[in-house]
Amino acid sequence: MTIRLIVGLGNPGKGYQSYRHNVGFWFCEALAHLYTGHFKKEAKFLGEVAQINIPGCSVRLLKPTTFMNCSGQSIQSIANFYQINADEILVVHDELDISPGIAKIKSGGGHGGHNGLRDTIKALDTKAFHRLRIGIGHPDDKSQVANFVLHAPSKGELEKIQDALSDSLQVIEGMIKGNFDKVMKTLHTKE
């Protein structure tokens, strides 16, 4: 099993670029940069798409332009077109329940209140895709969550989030090749 599609969740537009909710976009942009891929708007996939070659594997990167809560439409359209199975998809998203500086990988599971994941599960009609969860921390008050994810992290938090993104990029080849146990060991022992 190899990963053929990596989806970064986020909201399109300059106004959202620096927000915590866009860490999925940040990861895909960094990955494209690392492997000299270039994003192009693809109307039929409701998103921006790049193609990269990671030793031995051709991988598509997707940044949906549907806004977070409708991410699934974009993912479903590209997965159907290229006949990509759910277990060949890695979705990268912000995670409130993990501290900044920590990244964790997970296969399957629920949406944990994340609307981008909720819509993806609904559109794909399965939970059987992989997730790279980038910790952004929690505002400690449930009523503040929407406001929290739609704001930029502090300078200190941003540095930690960038560390987590960097750690994740270092194990991307393992992720692509489906060596999740090894990747988990590397990422999850960082705490």
Side-chain angles (χ1 to χ4, degrees):
M1 192 279 315
T2 55
I3 297 295
R4 295 173 55 206
L5 174 65
I6 299 176
V7 182
L9 296 186
N11 285 310
K14 286 226 183 308
Y16 293 96
Q17 223 166 349
S18 63
Y19 293 173
R20 291 179 180 94
H21 224 15
N22 273 40
V23 298
F25 278 15
W26 301 353
F27 180 80
C28 279
E29 286 158 4
L31 191 54
H33 180 74
L34 192 61
Y35 290 94
T36 60
H38 302 282
F39 280 99
K40 288 194 309 257
K41 275 202 161 62
E42 293 270 5
K44 69 180 169 189
F45 301 137
L46 309 167
E48 291 180 32
V49 180
Q51 189 156 352
I52 58 171
N53 289 306
I54 294 177
C57 305
S58 178
V59 182
R60 283 189 169 77
L61 307 179
L62 171 68
K63 297 190 302 177
T65 52
T66 51
F67 285 91
M68 182 65 84
N69 297 0
C70 301
S71 302
Q73 298 170 26
S74 174
I75 299 168
Q76 183 188 37
S77 66
I78 195 168
N80 287 351
F81 187 85
Y82 291 112
Q83 299 183 317
I84 298 170
N85 299 323
D87 67 355
E88 299 173 309
I89 299 173
L90 176 70
V91 175
V92 186
H93 64 90
D94 55 307
E95 179 60 70
L96 288 160
D97 296 328
I98 300 175
S99 303
I102 306 292
K104 293 195 173 192
I105 193 127
K106 179 180 178 182
S107 297
H111 54 70
H114 193 293
N115 289 332
L117 288 178
R118 179 184 279 125
D119 197 63
T120 302
I121 291 167
K122 188 175 151 204
L124 296 177
D125 196 26
T126 181
K127 299 173 181 174
F129 53 92
H130 308 282
R131 302 101 191 274
L132 175 60
R133 305 153 69 211
I134 307 292
I136 59 166
H138 199 286
D140 295 328
D141 177 353
K142 268 200 159 116
S143 68
Q144 291 300 308
V145 165
N147 188 38
F148 181 77
V149 297
L150 292 176
H151 275 85
S154 70
K155 191 169 181 270
E157 287 172 336
L158 181 61
E159 283 170 11
K160 288 179 179 172
I161 291 168
Q162 285 169 336
D163 285 346
L165 293 172
S166 174
D167 291 342
S168 302
L169 289 170
Q170 285 171 17
V171 291
I172 193 65
E173 288 186 33
M175 282 188 232
I176 295 299
K177 293 178 176 143
N179 300 333
F180 289 119
D181 291 343
K182 194 174 171 194
V183 170
M184 278 181 192
K185 208 178 221 160
T186 307
L187 287 180
H188 299 194
T189 51
K190 192 174 181 258
E191 294 176 77

